[in-house]
Amino acid sequence: MTVTAIVGANWGDEGKGKMTDVLSAKSSYVVRYQGGSNAGHTIINNYGKFALHMLPSGVFYPNVMNVIGPGVALDVDAFARERKELLERGVPEPRLCVSDRAQIVLPIHRLLDELEEERLGARSFGSTKRGIAPFYMDKYAKLGIQVSDLYDKQRLLLRLEQSLEAKNVLLENLYGREPIQPESLLAELLEQGEKLRPFVCDTTTMLHNAYVNGESILLEGQLGALRDPDHGIYPYSTSSSTLAGFAPVGAGLPPYAIEKVMAVVKSYSSCVGTGPFVSELDGIEADELRRLGGDAGEFGATTGRPRRVGWFDVVATRYGCMIQGATEVALTNLDVLGYLDTIPVCVGYELQDGTITADFPVSAKIDKAKPILQQHKGWKCDISKARSFDELPIAAQQYVAFIESAINVPIKYVSVGPRREQLIGI
């Protein structure tokens, strides 16, 4: 058995939830290792349709231990709310374990996130206002609250005092708000600690033991390579690393543990939030692709915002697969393109100075880049019932083969619909 990381190769929204859901059936552990409730994974199964923001995507399998690792921004309210929703909709009690080293998203983080987006106005970065950037600011300023702190009242109060000291200066002098007293948060956090208590454990030791014993571990990434703060479209990035290289750190495994990196790639492009997006469509073309895309249109699982859409981008995807260290690819949403006579693909960028490049540029050069498009023959039919690669029309097979050749990573799965069974192994 192996340790596999499932990650996105683009801007997020590639279909990682479905792939994690499918591979969870053969896994002993599914681990969230970074990010928080700022992005969602949509899963459709016999229980219905679910958008998970905090819980790992293996919660529908009673044999799977679902782990929130130390690298996660833990929103306790979202955690409790999603678990309650699962139970109310008939899903058996999932096996859940929360790292005692994970850190907590505080109400002040969400407030500061919202106030800063309001202050920036048109210059905002498209935050989901879930408190993620302020959370990670605290984490790396050594002001964060760990899960274990929730069980020591005096230590917790001291940590809150240290955390709020500078924030209250901002609240009063930058945002014109009343300061927050540490005692006002203490009772709420102690209550959250009691809600979490049944699930808290030393996940690092647990996963190390599982790894040594050869049990299968699935590491579930959030967002995609192009939202990574070091290698993505900074500053239009998230606040934690979205790369498979961070997965063993955020999960608590040795760096050599990962044997497979599955990069999930969409058959066209989609994006929630702001930032450069070279192959983006607008007008009627965008409306049509957005309406037909996803499982019920292209809208964000967390925000509900209409996703920006565009044609498949070879430049961005090849780069995303490269920095993810992808060993294989799952190509999703191929069925969506069945309405097109010809399918445009972005194969290069024309930069502002007229330079043509097939390499993904830094943000300073990509803002005004234009796509160089290549046309591919469409198949003009419904492929959602295909269950083998040979059942796909020749034009669809050729499109898959072209993408595989262009991104230099073998495609192991092709998804032709949102449900578990609509997946073709190659």
Side-chain angles (χ1 to χ4, degrees):
M1 305 299 285
T2 60
V3 178
T4 300
I6 298 183
V7 291
N10 299 118
W11 299 265
D13 311 310
E14 299 96 345
K16 296 182 294 297
K18 174 181 175 175
M19 294 311 304
T20 306
D21 178 54
V22 168
L23 296 188
S24 293
K26 298 179 181 178
S27 301
S28 300
Y29 297 83
V30 174
V31 186
R32 279 285 309 272
Y33 62 84
Q34 49 85 220
S37 62
N38 55 316
H41 287 169
T42 301
I43 294 173
I44 298 175
N45 55 33
N46 293 335
Y47 298 105
K49 179 179 176 179
F50 299 83
L52 300 178
H53 305 89
M54 198 71 259
L55 298 183
S57 295
V59 290
F60 301 100
Y61 295 95
N63 60 300
V64 172
M65 176 60 78
N66 294 273
V67 179
I68 294 193
V72 173
L74 176 59
D75 186 321
V76 179
D77 291 337
F79 175 91
R81 185 169 56 249
E82 288 182 20
R83 175 179 167 271
K84 180 181 178 183
E85 181 188 358
L86 293 183
L87 299 179
E88 288 176 345
R89 295 178 62 182
V91 179
E93 177 74 64
R95 300 174 67 200
L96 292 165
C97 196
V98 176
S99 171
D100 51 8
R101 295 180 184 272
Q103 294 191 21
I104 304 292
V105 177
L106 302 175
I108 183 65
H109 294 143
R110 289 188 286 269
L111 176 61
L112 288 172
D113 201 354
E114 183 176 346
L115 291 174
E116 182 64 4
E117 282 291 286
E118 290 176 2
R119 187 187 72 83
L120 290 171
R123 297 174 292 132
S124 70
F125 297 106
S127 170
T128 59
K129 302 178 184 178
R130 301 299 175 95
I132 302 303
F135 165 89
Y136 279 105
M137 288 170 66
D138 268 7
K139 181 172 185 174
Y140 293 112
K142 295 173 281 294
L143 295 171
I145 305 293
Q146 289 188 317
V147 167
S148 57
D149 294 332
L150 302 180
Y151 306 105
D152 184 333
K153 184 176 179 180
Q154 292 306 312
R155 176 181 172 84
L156 178 58
L157 181 59
L158 176 62
R159 300 296 295 160
L160 286 172
E161 289 171 347
Q162 292 173 327
S163 178
L164 289 172
E165 188 173 354
K167 294 180 181 61
N168 280 333
V169 175
L170 284 176
L171 283 175
E172 290 186 272
N173 296 285
L174 182 61
Y175 301 117
R177 296 295 186 100
E178 291 295 318
I180 293 175
Q181 301 306 315
E183 293 80 6
S184 68
L185 295 178
L186 186 63
E188 180 181 350
L189 290 178
L190 291 172
E191 183 180 343
Q192 287 187 348
E194 292 309 308
K195 289 180 182 178
L196 281 178
R197 192 182 287 275
F199 311 105
V200 176
C201 68
D202 178 357
T203 62
T204 301
T205 299
M206 179 180 69
L207 289 175
H208 269 264
N209 290 338
Y211 171 67
V212 169
N213 292 332
E215 297 181 76
S216 57
I217 302 172
L218 203 58
L219 307 177
E220 177 182 14
Q222 182 206 59
L223 294 169
L226 303 183
R227 295 296 186 187
D228 185 79
D230 294 309
H231 298 278
I233 52 171
Y234 185 86
Y236 303 98
S237 55
T238 192
S239 302
S240 63
S241 177
T242 60
L243 302 184
F246 183 77
V249 178
L253 285 166
Y256 49 79
I258 297 178
E259 297 180 33
K260 291 184 181 180
V261 177
M262 175 184 285
V264 185
V265 171
K266 220 171 216 176
S267 300
Y268 52 95
S269 297
S270 68
C271 170
V272 169
T274 52
F277 183 16
V278 176
S279 70
E280 183 173 12
L281 297 171
D282 55 21
I284 295 174
E285 279 187 309
D287 290 340
E288 190 169 25
L289 181 54
R290 186 178 298 112
R291 177 175 58 83
L292 295 171
D295 58 87
E298 287 288 357
F299 299 91
T302 297
T303 63
R305 292 183 296 202
R307 291 186 181 123
R308 301 158 66 192
V309 294
W311 304 125
F312 185 86
D313 188 328
V314 169
V315 179
T317 306
R318 182 170 55 228
Y319 173 77
C321 288
M322 177 184 73
I323 61 173
Q324 290 287 16
T327 59
E328 58 188 58
V329 160
L331 185 67
T332 65
N333 294 65
L334 186 65
D335 54 301
V336 171
L337 300 178
Y339 72 99
L340 294 163
D341 292 308
T342 58
I343 304 171
V345 173
C346 175
V347 295
Y349 294 170
E350 181 182 349
L351 305 182
Q352 189 176 14
D353 63 0
T355 302
I356 304 297
T357 183
D359 296 323
F360 193 74
V362 296
S363 297
K365 293 184 178 181
I366 198 174
D367 274 336
K368 299 185 184 301
K370 298 178 181 178
I372 297 172
L373 299 178
Q374 185 181 94
Q375 302 295 326
H376 290 259
K377 183 179 178 182
W379 46 92
K380 292 290 289 183
C381 65
D382 178 14
I383 61 171
S384 62
K385 293 182 173 59
R387 294 297 178 269
S388 71
F389 193 70
D390 291 340
E391 292 179 39
L392 294 174
I394 295 299
Q397 294 182 31
Q398 291 173 338
Y399 185 75
V400 174
F402 165 78
I403 290 176
E404 182 177 70
S405 174
I407 64 177
N408 299 320
V409 184
I411 294 175
K412 294 296 186 181
Y413 294 95
V414 175
S415 175
V416 293
R419 303 190 69 86
R420 288 173 178 170
E421 63 273 13
Q422 293 177 298
L423 188 68
I424 296 170
I426 301 179

